[in-house]
Amino acid sequence: MAGELVLLDFWPSPFGMRSRIALAEKGIPYEYREEDLRNKSDLLLQMNPVHKKIPVLIHNGKPVCESVIQVQYIDEVWHDKAPLIPSDPYQRAVARFWVDFIDKKIYELGSKVWKTKGEEQANAKKEFIECLKLLEGELGDKTYFGGESLGYVDVALVPFYSWFYAYEKCGDFSIEAECPKMIAWVKRCMQKESVAKSLPDQEKVYEFILQLKKVFGIE
């Protein structure tokens, strides 16, 4: 089932990191192609004509779009290696619920933290921390969200850690002070090579966001 595997991605994308982690965790070789989002390649536009966004996973010439769908696809195709999605139907439903929660909340609220100021930023920080605390509650005393091994929710959430430093610098707050259990979980994830090698340096992401702030005229 291996065949030709290509990932069209952009290095700071937490969504692309999900696919990178899933492929690394399963030990699947693939070709990584960095996209210039200001000058999108013909291949990207051809493979994702609807959204024209990264990441796009191309398997034997066929595109799979949207990061959570890619992780599901990777897990189904290479199901015999490091399974990520629970086999139990109820546990699978719970995992999908939390991945949906992460997709609807974390990126948007994190973006508001670095894009806004004053009361709007304060509200975004408050809601962001509240969301992380809800995730801490779901994590409980487990090693990972899925139990003893890295799973679907872990893969969906941990890429955002690479953006935490930028959120903290732009919002002048400490995520670890508010959510120590979350950061302890992150550190466990980062001990895994599949995660550590898939996430970019936090300061590099912060520099990228500072460039974006200049582009958008955000002081």
Side-chain angles (χ1 to χ4, degrees), residues 77-137:
V77 174
W78 294 280
H79 58 86
D80 57 327
K81 299 178 180 179
L84 299 170
I85 298 173
S87 56
D88 176 76
Y90 179 72
Q91 292 302 322
R92 192 160 60 242
V94 170
R96 284 174 172 160
F97 171 85
W98 286 109
V99 169
D100 183 64
F101 175 83
I102 291 161
D103 270 0
K104 287 175 176 172
K105 294 287 188 178
I106 300 300
Y107 182 74
E108 181 184 344
L109 289 170
S111 295
K112 282 184 179 177
V113 169
W114 69 262
K115 284 181 177 177
T116 62
K117 291 188 290 187
E119 187 179 351
E120 191 176 356
Q121 186 188 61
N123 289 336
K125 285 193 293 184
K126 181 173 179 287
E127 194 175 348
F128 183 77
I129 292 298
E130 285 171 356
C131 288
L132 292 186
K133 286 184 182 295
L134 285 170
L135 285 159
E136 283 187 322

Side-chain angles (χ1 to χ4, degrees), residues 27 35 42 119 131 147 151 156 161 187 215:
E35 282 286 332
D42 290 340
E119 187 179 351
C131 288
Y161 173 64
K187 288 175 180 175
V215 169

Side-chain angles (χ1 to χ4, degrees), residues 156-218:
L157 181 59
V158 77
F160 289 99
Y161 173 64
S162 61
W163 288 62
F164 278 10
Y165 177 72
Y167 299 157
E168 290 175 323
K169 292 287 283 185
C170 294
D172 190 27
F173 70 120
S174 167
I175 293 171
E176 186 166 19
E178 297 280 356
C179 303
K181 189 180 285 188
M182 175 64 58
I183 300 303
W185 161 80
V186 164
K187 288 175 180 175
R188 289 195 294 275
C189 291
M190 290 294 284
Q191 288 173 357
K192 296 187 74 67
E193 187 178 343
S194 59
V195 177
K197 288 196 170 180
S198 299
L199 268 58
D201 179 73
Q202 286 189 314
E203 292 197 10
K204 191 179 173 190
V205 173
Y206 177 52
E207 289 166 8
F208 168 72
I209 286 181
L210 290 180
Q211 291 174 345
L212 284 184
K213 285 168 77 82
K214 285 181 182 176
V215 169
F216 292 130
I218 303 167

Side-chain angles (χ1 to χ4, degrees), residues 12-171:
S13 169
F15 303 104
M17 291 175 214
R18 291 170 167 175
S19 297
R20 289 176 236 165
I21 292 168
L23 290 165
E25 184 69 6
K26 289 175 176 286
I28 308 300
Y30 65 98
E31 179 187 348
Y32 179 92
R33 292 193 193 176
E34 181 77 4
E35 282 286 332
D36 179 354
L37 300 187
R38 291 168 298 184
N39 183 25
K40 296 175 182 178
S41 71
D42 290 340
L43 183 62
L44 174 59
L45 300 176
Q46 175 191 344
M47 290 292 163
N48 191 0
V50 176
H51 296 302
K52 303 177 177 64
K53 291 180 179 178
I54 55 91
V56 180
L57 184 69
I58 308 169
H59 188 200
N60 292 326
K62 296 177 181 177
V64 180
C65 302
E66 300 297 311
S67 64
V68 294
I69 296 172
Q70 288 170 20
V71 174
Q72 292 170 16
Y73 179 82
I74 291 163
D75 201 49
E76 288 170 8
V77 174
W78 294 280
H79 58 86
D80 57 327
K81 299 178 180 179
L84 299 170
I85 298 173
S87 56
D88 176 76
Y90 179 72
Q91 292 302 322
R92 192 160 60 242
V94 170
R96 284 174 172 160
F97 171 85
W98 286 109
V99 169
D100 183 64
F101 175 83
I102 291 161
D103 270 0
K104 287 175 176 172
K105 294 287 188 178
I106 300 300
Y107 182 74
E108 181 184 344
L109 289 170
S111 295
K112 282 184 179 177
V113 169
W114 69 262
K115 284 181 177 177
T116 62
K117 291 188 290 187
E119 187 179 351
E120 191 176 356
Q121 186 188 61
N123 289 336
K125 285 193 293 184
K126 181 173 179 287
E127 194 175 348
F128 183 77
I129 292 298
E130 285 171 356
C131 288
L132 292 186
K133 286 184 182 295
L134 285 170
L135 285 159
E136 283 187 322
E138 169 59 20
L139 177 63
D141 296 323
K142 301 190 294 288
T143 304
Y144 301 103
F145 281 92
E148 290 303 310
S149 58
L150 195 79
Y152 189 35
V153 180
D154 304 288
V155 171
L157 181 59
V158 77
F160 289 99
Y161 173 64
S162 61
W163 288 62
F164 278 10
Y165 177 72
Y167 299 157
E168 290 175 323
K169 292 287 283 185
C170 294

